[in-house]
Amino acid sequence: MPLQLSTELGKVLITDECIAVIAGSAALECYGLVGMASRKQLKDGIAEMLGRDNLSRGVEVRRDNDSLQIDLHIIVSYGTKISEVAHNIQTKVQYVLNDVIGLEVDLVNIYVQGVRVLK
């Protein structure tokens, strides 16, 4: 069910898929993030990295009444401080969703599913 915003000009319907794509693209702008990971369970202990065309697959949008929660499944770069990368992603996603769509995001949960060594 799409999110409905009412303005003086009418109603705006925003799907969860749209919110997921915006959150995923905002996350990819952050330093230390290699890519989005599949939300599915790990297969044989290896996280499946998704390409840029699959941004919404690594993002889960949950809405309960007036609460909006975003879950991001990510793969980080080796040598970066994971807690800093996660904090930067949380801040960026919350800012972009508030600024671009006008949504108040309650929680941005980060699930680090892998570390990738860049060459």
Side-chain angles (χ1 to χ4, degrees), residues 4 10 19 24 28 38-40 44 56 58 80 82 90 92 94 98 106-108 119:
Q4 182 174 337
I19 295 170
L28 281 178
S38 175
R39 289 180 295 187
K40 299 175 187 173
D44 301 326
S56 63
T80 59
I82 294 175
Q90 289 171 322
K92 177 76 171 186
Q94 193 167 25
N98 190 14
D106 296 314
L107 291 173
V108 178
K119 295 179 182 180

Side-chain angles (χ1 to χ4, degrees), residues 35-60:
M36 305 301 287
S38 175
R39 289 180 295 187
K40 299 175 187 173
Q41 293 294 338
L42 298 176
K43 296 179 181 178
D44 301 326
I46 300 172
E48 176 188 355
M49 191 163 96
L50 304 171
R52 288 194 174 268
D53 56 335
N54 296 321
L55 289 176
S56 63
R57 287 195 193 165
V59 182
E60 184 178 348

